[in-house]
Amino acid sequence: MVKLKVTQVKSKIGTKQNHRDSLRTLGLHKIRQSTVREDTPEVRGLIHTVRHLVVVEEVK
């Protein structure tokens, strides 16, 4: 199963509430913090919401 490594690269200060909620749901709280998630449609949707704040890499 493919996993996605999601790293926050920009601050959530000044963003919309749903962007902050998406980051929290992904498990991101600080800049340069990373989490590894399963590649599911739900996770892809969360990443799409905050695509300007995060960087995504595939992990095998």
Side-chain angles (χ1 to χ4, degrees):
M1 185 97 195
V2 177
K3 295 190 181 250
L4 300 173
K5 180 180 177 184
V6 185
T7 305
Q8 183 177 349
V9 293
K10 289 191 177 180
S11 175
K12 61 185 173 184
I13 295 173
T15 61
K16 296 181 180 179
Q17 183 65 42
N18 64 330
H19 294 173
R20 287 177 270 168
D21 294 341
S22 296
L23 286 172
R24 186 174 49 238
T25 303
L26 287 169
L28 299 171
H29 303 288
K30 299 179 182 178
I31 296 175
R32 292 186 300 277
Q33 183 179 10
S34 298
T35 59
V36 178
R37 298 287 177 182
E38 297 273 337
D39 187 8
T40 62
E42 293 84 8
V43 172
R44 289 278 182 164
L46 289 169
I47 292 170
H48 182 74
T49 303
V50 293
R51 63 188 177 273
H52 58 288
L53 302 175
V54 298
V55 171
V56 181
E57 304 170 20
E58 285 190 9
V59 179
K60 302 248 174 170

